[in-house]
Amino acid sequence: MIRVVVVDDEALVRSGFELILGAADDLEVVATTAGAEAVDTVRRECPDVVLLDIRMPDVDGLSVLRQLRVLPKPPVVAMLTTFDADEYIVTALRSGAAGFLLKDTEPDQLAQLVRTLAAGGVVMSPKASRVVWEARPGALDVDGEAATRVGRLTERECEVLVLVAEGLSNAEIGTRIHLSAGTVKDHVSAILTKLRVGSRVQAALLAQRAGLLDDGQRHRERGR
């Protein structure tokens, strides 16, 4: 079972997510809570995935995210928002969020998105992706430094990193390039170490600033 905690200041949102996710055989919403009790709840329940409202009146969602990221066994955290162009997207991703979910996500998509998160994938709406990739200069690592870091990767690691940036899980990447999920996991660990980042999303952001994703797109187009 994939254990999920939902953090939102609105009881209606919490109950709605609990009802939708609880209908899936492989998902269990072990707790729902407002922001003030979020960290204590996560410590107690040890969920695999946390869905965390980014804007709450009682506590800053970004602050909660940072506290969750330093737990001994931090869960995967995706931010909840009503705006797919939320100005805090880049900050949250740099702080370790694994993506964004809109609160009006279609119910039949929600369970699969949580499964993707639990499997190590990235979830983000197309508009949110544009906000990230078009972030103002200086919001992320400068191109020169990013290119230097990416230059430390092997050709295979670059290939894996491009697929990580597409939001694929280890198993999906393995299927795409004919490797076992365990081998992909080893590659991802090496990538994070070489790039000196703490999450798959941060690695993807760095790859974008280095131009690797544009190169990968052109390579795929030439191969068609």
Side-chain angles (χ1 to χ4, degrees):
M1 294 289 287
I2 298 171
R3 297 168 57 84
V4 183
V5 165
V6 179
V7 181
D8 196 284
D9 63 299
E10 297 183 27
L12 185 60
V13 172
R14 296 197 302 268
S15 61
F17 271 69
E18 183 175 20
L19 180 65
I20 294 168
L21 295 176
D25 294 338
D26 58 338
L27 303 179
E28 180 184 7
V29 178
V30 294
T32 67
T33 180
E37 296 81 30
V39 177
D40 287 341
T41 300
V42 170
R43 283 198 183 104
R44 182 179 67 251
E45 299 294 344
C46 300
D48 303 298
V49 176
V50 173
L51 304 181
L52 172 62
D53 189 3
I54 198 168
R55 295 172 181 265
M56 295 180 286
D58 57 341
V59 64
D60 178 14
L62 294 175
S63 176
V64 173
L65 170 63
R66 295 186 184 104
Q67 293 179 68
L68 296 181
R69 291 294 299 164
V70 299
L71 292 177
K73 293 184 178 181
V76 175
V77 181
M79 309 306 292
L80 296 175
T81 180
T82 55
F83 309 103
D84 53 9
D86 196 303
E87 64 192 74
Y88 294 126
I89 286 177
V90 174
T91 302
L93 295 178
R94 293 188 69 188
S95 298
F100 273 74
L101 290 177
L102 296 179
K103 293 185 182 181
D104 61 355
T105 296
E106 292 294 330
D108 59 349
Q109 297 177 3
L110 187 58
Q112 185 55 48
L113 291 173
V114 171
R115 294 185 188 104
T116 298
L117 288 165
V122 175
V123 298
M124 203 180 312
S125 75
K127 288 184 180 179
S129 298
R130 270 202 305 277
V131 171
V132 173
W133 304 144
E134 296 173 1
R136 66 186 185 281
L140 307 171
D141 294 294
V142 297
D143 290 351
E145 182 184 352
T148 298
R149 292 200 216 175
V150 170
R152 302 186 183 115
L153 304 181
T154 66
E155 183 176 351
R156 176 63 91 181
E157 287 167 350
C158 286
E159 183 179 15
V160 170
L161 178 54
V162 170
L163 297 176
V164 165
E166 290 183 9
L168 302 185
S169 67
N170 291 345
E172 291 168 332
I173 293 172
T175 299
R176 182 79 65 88
I177 59 177
H178 311 295
L179 296 175
S180 71
T183 298
V184 174
K185 182 179 179 181
D186 291 341
H187 281 310
V188 172
S189 296
I191 289 167
L192 298 184
T193 298
K194 290 181 179 180
L195 297 184
R196 302 198 305 273
V197 296
S199 74
R200 299 164 75 98
V201 175
Q202 290 169 334
L205 295 175
L206 194 67
Q208 172 65 19
R209 299 300 289 180
L212 180 64
L213 304 190
D214 294 336
D215 292 341
Q217 178 63 31
R218 287 193 292 270
H219 178 75
R220 288 192 294 275
E221 289 176 350
R222 285 198 300 269
R224 289 174 183 170

